[in-house]
Each structure stands twice: as structure tokens, then as C-alpha cells.
Amino acid sequence: MPAPALRVSQLTHDYGPVRALDQVSFEAPPGRIGLVGANGAGKSTLIKLALGLQDPTSGTIEVLGQDPGVRTRVGYMPEASALPLDQKAADFVTYAARLAGLPSRDARRRASETLYLVGLDEERFRYIGDFSTGMQQRVKLAQAIVHDPQLVFLDEPTAGLDPEGRESMLDLIRRLGDFGTSVVFSTHIITDIERTCDWVVLLDGGTLLRSSQLEELGSHGVVRLELHDRSEDVTRLLRARGADVKVEGDVLHIRSFDDIYSAIQSSVAQAGAGIHLLEEANVTLEEAFFVPSPEPPPLPGSLP
């Protein structure tokens, strides 16, 4: 069995008083891995720890079964521009290949092949400073994969791109997976993950929400319960039975679990509420960021 692309155990990292990651543990297999969360969720910190650019406060992280810093086997496309605008694309990507250990002639050949792969064959002798944002993103991707790594980290690779540029970048990410290169694709755009990845790691505020195959997220339902009245009482009773409930007015979104319909029936009957609509839908990746609404305060005369 191949080693996991990432193996993380009780990983914690602090920036002074700010905790960026809090005891995160998961394993992600080789393939296209979506690292998704809002800005500040800890995605970039996790990547920097995986690359050995920072040391964790506590816990461990392995990349391809080894400690961080396996530079010849990984590639990195940073979120920041970090490009030498006064260099030609071919020269810069060749330089990146030389840094990865390729001999001069092989580095030049690989740079030409990689720039062709990312769609910059005709522009490879132009200065990077003359490139559009989308073309600069392609140069960043080219330098990350020019040495044919086993795993490449892409930190917000679609940032700043127009719809056409985003579609082109997503197509390149899908093709990397088809070529056998594992990808860790970090983004806060959930639909991009759904279109490109096989495995998803969900982070929120430095904690792990979920790590699983993308298709598994669709196997867990959310039941939509629309009530005529007494939604606060039904919510409280369902939560007392261990249910995750998100409240939008008189509509309750309940994470599916065993005997969910029995729990709904009992709670509605105990609260004396009336049901307007009850239906089940598949979970989207957006719904995987399921955060229960704050429990409503007790109302005078309401059920405990």
C-alpha cells in the first residue's frame, strides 16, 4: 500500500497568542486532495508545516510517509505572487528545475515541456512582468511541477482569475491527477473542490471538521423540516436527542442519523407543533461546513 500523501497527528501551531491549528489529525491518500476552509481556517499554515517551512508547536506531520522537507518529491505553488517580473518565463522555470537538482540541459528541456503543458509555449520567452494574472498563475504552477514531483501543494491557485482563467486552472489541476501527480489544492471556493478533487479535508478556525472521500459527503442526508410553529421547542428537543440542527426561521436542517424520523416525530409531538414540509436532500460540500445555530434562549412558558 502506498504511504498516505499526508498523515497528521495532533498537529498544533501557534503564532504567539493566536492558535492557527488546534490538535488536527487526519490521513489523506494519494490523489487530488481538496484542503478547504474560509480565510484564516489554517490551510496555508498546514501547507507550510508540510513543506518544513515552519515547525509545529506540537504534534507531527508526514508527507509521503516522511518528515516534512522532502523537497525533491514535492512542489509548491504559493498564494503570493513571488515571481521575478524581470525574468523570462523559460529562464525562471529552468532555474526552478535546477534548484530541484536537474542538470542544466534536462532542466531547460523540462521547462519547455512544462510551459507547453500549462499553455505558455508561445509566451515562454516573454518577460513575466508582461504577463496577465492568469498567465502568471500558470508560471507559478509550472515552477511547482517542472521537476515531476510526486505531490504538489497549490495554495489558492485560482485567486484573482476571471471565469475563463479559473476554468483553465481547474482543468490543469484535474490533468495533474490524471498524470499520477498527487495534489493538495487549498481554496475557500467550495465548488472548485467539488469539480476537481477525490478527497476533501475541511478546516474551520484551525480545527478539523472532516477528512473523507468527496463522494462520501453525498451519502449523508440532511432532513429539511418546515414547521407551522414552535420551532424553538422542536429544536431544543431534537438537540437533547443528540441531533445537529441548523435553524432558519421555522425551517430546521437536521443532519441525518439513525432513527432520525422517530426523533422528529417524538419531538414534534412533544412540542405540539405542526409540520408543513418534511424532505431529505443530499449533503453538498457547502453543507459539510455544518455549524449548528446557537441554541435559542428559553421562552416564557416553553418546554424545557
Side-chain angles (χ1 to χ4, degrees):
M1 293 293 291
L6 290 176
R7 180 185 284 124
V8 178
S9 179
Q10 298 295 308
L11 190 66
T12 298
H13 190 70
D14 298 329
Y15 294 103
V18 178
R19 176 149 293 184
L21 292 172
D22 189 9
Q23 297 187 12
V24 172
S25 298
F26 67 88
E27 285 190 10
R32 288 170 291 212
I33 303 160
L35 181 60
V36 62
N39 292 331
K43 305 187 301 297
S44 293
T45 297
L46 181 62
I47 290 176
K48 291 173 183 177
L49 293 171
L51 292 168
L53 300 177
Q54 295 177 347
D55 295 324
T57 303
S58 62
T60 61
I61 182 168
E62 292 182 3
V63 180
L64 301 172
Q66 300 182 23
D67 291 336
V70 284
R71 301 295 175 83
T72 59
R73 300 175 63 194
V74 301
Y76 175 41
M77 176 181 175
E79 179 180 6
S81 178
L83 291 172
L85 303 183
D86 59 348
Q87 287 194 23
K88 297 176 182 178
D91 293 338
F92 173 63
V93 177
T94 299
Y95 175 68
R98 292 295 307 277
L99 287 177
L102 274 68
S104 179
R105 180 176 297 181
D106 291 342
R108 179 67 65 178
R109 175 181 56 81
R110 283 289 301 169
S112 178
E113 294 172 349
T114 306
L115 287 167
Y116 176 81
L117 174 66
V118 301
L120 291 176
D121 181 51
E122 296 183 1
E123 294 86 2
R124 65 187 185 278
F125 296 121
R126 289 176 55 189
Y127 288 100
I128 296 173
D130 295 333
F131 284 1
S132 65
T133 299
M135 294 167 68
Q136 290 188 8
Q137 290 291 85
R138 289 168 181 256
V139 174
K140 286 165 58 178
L141 177 60
Q143 64 80 32
I145 63 175
V146 66
H147 58 298
D148 194 22
Q150 291 179 250
L151 173 65
V152 60
F153 292 89
L154 310 178
D155 196 355
E156 299 283 356
T158 60
L161 300 183
D162 58 24
E164 182 178 355
R166 167 173 273 111
E167 185 58 43
S168 296
M169 181 61 69
L170 295 179
D171 180 62
L172 287 169
I173 293 170
R174 286 190 291 264
R175 291 171 65 190
L176 285 176
D178 295 339
F179 294 153
T181 302
S182 292
V183 177
V184 174
F185 174 14
S186 169
T187 182
H188 63 280
I189 303 174
I190 294 172
T191 54
D192 288 354
I193 295 295
E194 291 178 312
R195 295 170 60 188
T196 56
C197 294
D198 313 304
W199 191 275
V200 61
V201 176
L202 308 176
L203 294 177
D204 181 41
T207 62
L208 178 72
L209 294 185
R210 182 156 187 166
S211 174
S212 67
Q213 286 186 338
L214 183 64
E215 61 184 21
E216 289 182 5
L217 295 177
S219 65
H220 297 270
V222 168
V223 173
R224 183 173 182 268
L225 173 63
E226 186 173 346
L227 300 166
H228 289 296
D229 52 13
R230 303 188 72 86
S231 60
E232 296 90 349
D233 293 333
V234 174
T235 298
R236 193 170 291 109
L237 289 165
L238 283 168
R239 286 178 176 161
R241 290 174 166 86
D244 283 334
V245 184
K246 182 177 180 181
V247 183
E248 295 179 355
D250 287 327
V251 178
L252 311 184
H253 301 273
I254 310 160
R255 176 74 70 184
S256 184
F257 59 93
D258 292 341
D259 298 326
I260 182 173
Y261 291 104
S262 175
I264 290 174
Q265 181 182 23
S266 299
S267 299
V268 169
Q270 186 176 348
I275 295 178
H276 177 69
L277 178 68
L278 180 63
E279 62 181 3
E280 185 172 359
N282 285 333
V283 177
T284 65
L285 191 53
E286 183 106 27
E287 290 167 325
F289 285 98
F290 193 85
V291 180
S293 304
E295 186 163 335
L299 299 175
S302 64
L303 294 173

